[in-house]
Amino acid sequence: VLFFVNRGGLPVDEATWDRMWRHVSCIHPEGDVIGRKIRGATDLPKIPTPSVPTFQPSTTLPDRLEAIQRYIRDLQYNDTGTQFFEIKKSRPLTALMDIAKEMVRETLPIKCLEAVILGIYLTNSMPGLERFPLSFKTQFSGNCFRHIVLGVHCGGRFGALGISRRGNLMYKPLVFRTLSDLVQEFDGAYRGYWHSLKKVKIGQYVSHDPHSVEQIKWKRTILDVDRLTHEEFRKELERHTRDMRLKVR
């Protein structure tokens, strides 16, 4: 699904604002009327600002992840048609962490790729937790859709952080025994919306050093679901898991 990206930084420039309002007039049932109502209003309700979670040393890792996911969800999914923060995947990790700090400062709605960057930033202080990009390509009614979450791995269990319009296509608690189990959980959720899973891309573990100049490896393994049997698909995910464990060691 195509959307605009705000490339002018914040505060949003006039041209970007105008483009956003034109988009609203095209997709909202009330068209231009709703835009005029909001833009001319002086008594709009104050939007609550979510606070970044803080933890006691005794807070367990699953509880920390749940609190981080709650914060990401409270920022809300961005349905404006314009992504507020430009995420260039080729940028070094340190530059992407600067964008994550800006997300925290601005507390604007975000899309799935922004949520992955924010999730990395908020889990950097958890050295026992491995993080990796996990993205999906699906098909519905002849159209292709793409989505990405932040996979997490610790203590022999997998889970995920992220944001989506759909509640079961983002957060997954750290309870899945294998990466295959985690991916199958997402596949089942997609099937509930009549989407067929076409490709799965898994990246490498991301450094915990916020000042690293390394690039995130977004696509270490690419699996074409239609070309693999269920057993082949499972074995490829197991192989990826073994390779990542060896890399950590």
Side-chain angles (χ1 to χ4, degrees):
V1 177
L2 300 178
F3 53 85
F4 297 110
V5 176
N6 170 35
R7 304 188 189 280
L10 297 170
V12 176
D13 59 43
E14 193 65 29
T16 302
W17 272 120
D18 287 342
R19 186 180 65 193
M20 288 173 64
W21 284 112
R22 287 197 302 272
H23 176 76
V24 168
S25 68
C26 290
I27 66 172
H28 198 280
E30 296 182 35
D32 291 330
V33 176
I34 189 68
R36 289 195 296 270
K37 283 182 181 177
I38 296 174
R39 297 184 85 174
T42 58
D43 57 347
L44 294 173
K46 186 175 181 180
I47 304 298
T49 302
S51 300
V52 176
T54 57
F55 307 110
Q56 299 295 326
S58 59
T59 306
T60 65
L61 184 58
D63 286 344
R64 293 180 186 221
L65 292 176
E66 188 174 347
I68 289 171
Q69 178 61 44
R70 192 160 50 244
Y71 171 75
I72 291 174
R73 187 187 63 234
D74 287 348
L75 290 175
Q76 299 185 20
Y77 187 85
N78 181 355
D79 278 310
T80 66
T82 296
Q83 180 175 299
F84 290 119
F85 303 94
E86 184 180 12
I87 308 295
K88 292 182 178 179
K89 290 183 174 181
S90 60
R91 300 190 74 185
L93 185 60
T94 181
L96 295 175
M97 293 304 92
D98 286 340
I99 296 175
K101 293 175 186 176
E102 191 175 16
M103 292 183 209
V104 170
R105 186 166 59 247
E106 300 294 341
T107 62
L108 291 168
I110 57 177
K111 290 186 175 293
C112 60
L113 181 57
E114 293 163 301
V116 168
I117 300 303
L118 186 57
I120 292 171
Y121 172 72
L122 295 173
T123 56
N124 273 337
S125 61
M126 305 176 190
L129 181 75
E130 300 298 345
R131 298 85 41 85
F132 58 95
L134 177 61
S135 59
F136 307 96
K137 178 183 177 181
T138 62
Q139 191 172 56
F140 170 70
S141 189
N143 295 316
C144 289
F145 298 81
R146 290 172 174 81
H147 180 49
I148 187 169
V149 296
L150 181 66
V152 292
H153 179 218
C154 182
R157 292 291 184 269
F158 289 86
L161 299 171
I163 199 165
S164 170
R165 294 185 182 92
R166 305 293 190 178
N168 56 353
L169 288 175
M170 43 184 186
Y171 174 63
K172 302 295 178 183
L174 198 67
V175 298
F176 295 90
R177 189 175 57 85
T178 66
L179 179 56
S180 178
D181 290 341
L182 176 63
V183 172
Q184 292 302 325
E185 172 72 14
F186 277 101
D187 184 26
Y190 271 119
R191 281 189 273 110
Y193 302 115
W194 300 281
H195 279 237
S196 57
L197 187 61
K198 294 299 181 183
K199 283 189 179 180
V200 177
K201 299 178 183 179
I202 313 113
Q204 290 185 345
Y205 289 158
V206 179
S207 170
H208 283 266
D209 179 6
H211 306 295
S212 171
V213 295
E214 294 180 6
Q215 294 179 343
I216 295 175
K217 302 297 189 298
W218 298 92
K219 300 182 293 186
R220 190 186 187 284
T221 298
I222 302 174
L223 302 180
D224 190 327
V225 179
D226 290 337
R227 295 186 178 182
L228 298 171
T229 66
H230 179 80
E231 184 62 18
E232 289 170 338
F233 187 72
R234 183 186 63 79
K235 287 183 177 180
E236 285 297 317
L237 291 172
E238 285 183 355
R239 181 185 60 77
H240 179 90
T241 302
R242 287 195 302 270
D243 289 349
M244 291 296 94
R245 285 173 179 165
L246 290 172
K247 182 177 183 296
V248 171
R249 292 171 187 169

